[in-house]
Structures are given as C-alpha cells and as structure tokens.
Amino acid sequence: EIVLTQSPGTLSLSPGERATLSCRASQSVSSSYLAWYQQKPGQAPRLLIYGASSRATGIPDRFSGSGSGTDFTLTISRLEPEDFAVYYCQQYGSSPRGFTFGPGTKVDIK
Amino acid sequence: QVQLVESGGGLVKPGGSLRLSCAASGFTFSDYYMSWIRQAPGKGLEWVSYISSSSSYTNYADSVKGRFTISRDNAKNSLYLQMNSLRAEDTAVYYCARSRQPVHGGYYMDVWGKGTTVTVSS
C-alpha cells in the first residue's frame, strides 16, 4: 500500500507570495495517477490538478503541478485571497483499485 | 448542470445501520465509476469505497470492509452506501464523487457532491 506524506503541515504566507507544497509517496507512483485537490471550510474538495501537471477545467494558471516518481509539487505562483485553503494530494491504486489521500497542507494567511 | 447530491445522513447509535444515497444528474451516470469518501470532524479525506460503472467491481478501505456495502442503480442514476455495525469512528461527512473508467484515465475524481453528515453516538 502506497502512503502519501505532505509537507509542510501548515504554510503561512501573505497574498501575492509563492506557495510550494510537497507530496511524497512511499514508493514510485505513475504521474498519471497523481492528483491535487483544494478544500475550503464547509465545502467539498475541488479537483485542481490531475496527471501530476494538468490543470482541471476552470483552474487558474497560477496553479501548477510537477514531479515524478515519489516526489510531487503543487505550486501557486501568486497567492490570491481565495487560495487560502487546505490542499490534498491523491494517488490512484490500480491493484486493488482505489484512491489514497495525503494528510493535507493548510495554506493560511500570515 | 453536472451534479451529485448526497442524502441519508443522520444520528445513529453505535451498532446501528444507515443507508446513504447519491443522486446524479447532468451526465451519463452509467459511464462513470463512483466512490464514497469521508472526512471526520477536523480531519483529512479518507477514501471509503469504489464501484465500477457496471457494478462488476467494488473495493473498500480496510476500515470499513465487511461492514459497508457500495451499490448503484444506473436506471435511477443513483449510488448507495449501506453502512452496518456503525462505530463512533465512522462519524464523518460522507461525499460521493465520480471518476472516469480507468481505461479512459479515470485516476482522479472530478465531480463531488456537497456531502451528508453521519454521526454515530449513543
């Protein structure tokens, strides 16, 4: 079973700053199988990035994903007020089929 | 528009049962795999269960295996989660979400419902 670790647990930044979030897998993950979600308080998660680097429909280009193997990164180039939220990485397991989430990184206002 | 709406949550005693439903609209439900994901109060996301588009394949997290059963009715555009032998640690918001078939790159969940709350307490 692949375990995902996210760091840091909390990231305190100001609007306009760059955010770099890390997701590390306990063993190699296909880039196709890695996604990122954003969740705001009281809301359902929203898909941001799939296939490690492809933006979902309607996601601003300040969000970007990169990485391969065991190390993946979500970057928010310039934080907007609406970007302060919790971010989860997720990987897909093909055998048995299912999903695993990382513990999340909270991006809050400094 | 594309929408998933969960229902059926509520307060139940430990050892009790509950059946959650998820109504889909705005897309061809039978083309998609479906999952249940839960989130305990103040905690992260936990994938619970997964069902293929034809119901031929299901899988469960170890934490619910043997107690929860996922099913779907494509004629009714509906997904279900039968939860038995409920425990306090099953208390959570339960979300349903869709993904494409794996052969079509269904390695992520692109549409989520707003969730329904399950509370297990005496």
Side-chain angles (χ1 to χ4, degrees), chain A residues 17-39:
Chain A
E17 289 193 295
R18 181 184 187 89
T20 303
L21 287 67
S22 173
C23 176
R24 179 162 289 177
S26 58
Q27 52 188 282
S28 186
V29 172
S30 167
S31 295
S32 299
Y33 291 0
L34 199 288
W36 289 91
Y37 300 84
Q38 176 195 65
Q39 188 180 33

Side-chain angles (χ1 to χ4, degrees), chain B residues 103-120:
Chain B
V103 69
H104 297 308
Y107 312 131
Y108 52 88
M109 293 164 281
D110 65 340
V111 177
W112 294 61
K114 294 184 177 181
T116 188
T117 300
V118 172
T119 303
V120 184

Side-chain angles (χ1 to χ4, degrees), chain B residues 1 4 8 13 24 30 34 43 50 53 65-66 72 77 79-81 83-84 86 90 93 98 100 112 115 117:
Chain B
Q1 74 278 25
L4 296 170
K13 289 181 168 51
S30 58
M34 298 296 296
K43 303 296 184 182
Y50 179 70
S53 50
K65 203 169 286 185
R72 64 190 295 163
N77 292 335
L79 173 73
Y80 306 102
L81 186 68
M83 305 186 296
N84 298 331
L86 282 161
D90 296 318
V93 175
R98 78 172 194 183
R100 294 184 184 279
W112 294 61
T117 300

Side-chain angles (χ1 to χ4, degrees), chain A residues 1-5 23-36 50-52 66-72 89-94 98-102, chain B residues 107:
Chain A
E1 178 190 336
I2 295 177
V3 176
L4 299 178
T5 304
C23 176
R24 179 162 289 177
S26 58
Q27 52 188 282
S28 186
V29 172
S30 167
S31 295
S32 299
Y33 291 0
L34 199 288
W36 289 91
Y50 63 93
S66 62
S68 63
T70 60
D71 291 299
F72 298 89
C89 58
Q90 168 249 297
Q91 72 95 24
Y92 170 81
S94 58
F99 300 96
T100 305
F101 292 94
Chain B
Y107 312 131

Side-chain angles (χ1 to χ4, degrees), chain A residues 7 9 42 62 77 81 83 85 88 105:
Chain A
S7 61
R62 64 180 180 273
S77 58
D83 299 336
Y88 295 94
T105 291

